[in-house]
Amino acid sequence: MIQEHAAPAGLALDYTPEVARATAAVAARVRAVIPPLEWPLHAPYVAAIADWKRRRNAVVLAHNYQTPEIFHGVADFTGDSLALAQFGARTEAAVIVLAGVHFMAETAKILSPGKTVLIPDPRAGCSLAASITAADIRLLRQRYPGVPVVSYVNTSAEVKAESDVCCTSANAVAVVESLGAPRVIFLPDEYLGRYVAGQTAVEVILWRGHCEVHERFTAAELREFRAGHPGIHVLAHPECPPEVLAEADFVGSTAAMIRHVGEARPRRVVMVTECSMSDNVAVEFPDVEFVRPCALCPHMKRITLPKILHALEAMEHRVEVDPAVAARAREALARMLAVGRRESGR
Ligand code: 13P
Ligand code: SF4
């Protein structure tokens, strides 16, 4: 059972003048998205986590969907799934705390088997990762002999181990084309697979997995954003259904969306993705107005500052992957990392 830890033993989590001073710079940076009145609730954790990171020689990696107090307050590195995997493979720290979902922590462990990888709440899953098993892939291989399997990183280590190569939303088209095959099995995200199929001549065999957050957006909702907010620039994640993507001005990974806002500097933006993204990005671009539809990923939201602090203090929950499975999964990840980031966003 997971417990919510308010104040780890031996640590006073008060908003003292020292804590206020130590966290003042972050508080000032995030004041547009975390009201100053709320900051005293987060600040003691931000200060205590900084202390424990030093003691443990640890880094906190946070996905773009983490809440602003995590993203801006305690993360040493932030990014999309690809960036987190790349960073996890090269960090010198002894301990990685993955503020994200379980498949991201497993990916870090596969790429850094000698490091301690902690996930603050092991129940942080993903509907895509839950939609397919290694046995499903073995059946697909029987049905389509010789057809290579491309797996989205949003999968378990066992599924990666059965795959030829992994991909993220930042390189899916390039990875599919890197195989030089006339057709591929692409799993588990049906909508990302359809998006890829629309951008390549390679035939794509799909699996019917969906992201429970992105599948809920509708084209009608996007049209309402446009009607209600003249001139709005609509950015969507490729895990959204095809009719939603057809209404968007730009489609790309979470990192590509952030980059696009920085380059295009639209006056008004809606990011059709998980809600915390807009809060995190708004901190960087105070001149851009963000219209914020609320679509929470319940798995990402299991990660909180108290749980990150507890992870560092108690050195749990350790992510372990069977070495034989990890060795095969690492090959699929290494092929993806060799392709790198090659966004095909529009
Ligand atoms: P990105 O790789 O674009 O960050 O997406 C990961 C994810 O889980 C989106 O729902
Ligand atoms: Fe999985 Fe969707 Fe949550 Fe991303 S947003 S972790 S794809 S359930």
Side-chain angles (χ1 to χ4, degrees), residues 61-63 77-91 96 98 103-112 153 160 166-168 171 333-334 336-337 341:
L61 272 55
H63 185 259
F77 186 82
T78 59
D80 64 358
S81 307
L82 179 62
L84 297 184
Q86 288 168 326
F87 185 86
R90 67 170 190 263
T91 178
I96 297 172
L98 206 305
F103 77 80
M104 295 174 178
E106 240 182 15
T107 300
K109 182 66 187 176
I110 293 165
L111 292 172
S112 300
V153 282
K160 289 182 176 77
C166 293
C167 74
T168 75
N171 58 16
L333 284 165
M336 171 188 84
L337 292 173
R341 179 178 295 279

Side-chain angles (χ1 to χ4, degrees), residues 27-28 38 56 61 63 73 77 108 148 170 192 233 261 301-302 306 313 325 327:
E38 203 186 294
R56 300 286 193 207
L61 272 55
H63 185 259
F77 186 82
L192 177 61
H233 204 64
V261 172
K301 265 47 208 183
R302 283 193 184 277
E313 193 200 30
V325 171

Side-chain angles (χ1 to χ4, degrees), residues 133-220:
T133 65
D136 291 327
I137 302 198
R138 290 192 286 272
L139 285 173
L140 282 167
R141 285 204 189 269
Q142 278 173 21
R143 186 152 168 208
Y144 300 101
V147 179
V149 174
V150 180
S151 288
Y152 197 24
V153 282
N154 299 40
T155 46
S156 66
E158 289 75 13
V159 164
K160 289 182 176 77
E162 294 290 337
S163 308
D164 293 282
V165 61
C166 293
C167 74
T168 75
S169 54
N171 58 16
V173 177
V175 165
V176 163
E177 294 188 338
S178 74
L179 294 168
R183 61 178 186 160
V184 302
I185 298 166
F186 187 96
L187 52 90
D189 189 353
E190 177 191 353
Y191 297 147
L192 177 61
R194 284 191 191 282
Y195 176 70
V196 170
Q199 312 231 342
T200 177
V202 178
E203 187 193 337
V204 179
I205 298 163
L206 299 166
W207 184 256
R208 292 197 183 270
H210 298 141
C211 162
E212 67 187 84
V213 178
H214 291 91
E215 71 176 349
R216 273 183 268 150
F217 289 107
T218 65

Side-chain angles (χ1 to χ4, degrees), residues 2 97-100 118-122 303-304 307-308 311 316-317:
I2 308 295
V97 180
L98 206 305
L118 305 174
I119 183 148
D121 187 332
I303 310 300
T304 60
K307 289 181 192 171
I308 294 173
E316 62 180 25
H317 303 269

Side-chain angles (χ1 to χ4, degrees), residues 63-65 79-84 101 103-104 126 128 152-154 168-170 211 213-214 237-239 252-257 273-274 277 297 300 343:
H63 185 259
N64 291 326
Y65 294 163
D80 64 358
S81 307
L82 179 62
L84 297 184
V101 292
F103 77 80
M104 295 174 178
C126 169
L128 281 168
Y152 197 24
V153 282
N154 299 40
T168 75
S169 54
C211 162
V213 178
H214 291 91
H237 194 277
E239 290 171 8
S253 73
T254 55
M257 284 193 248
T273 190
E274 215 269 352
M277 266 278 289
C297 172
M300 289 279 179
E343 294 269 0

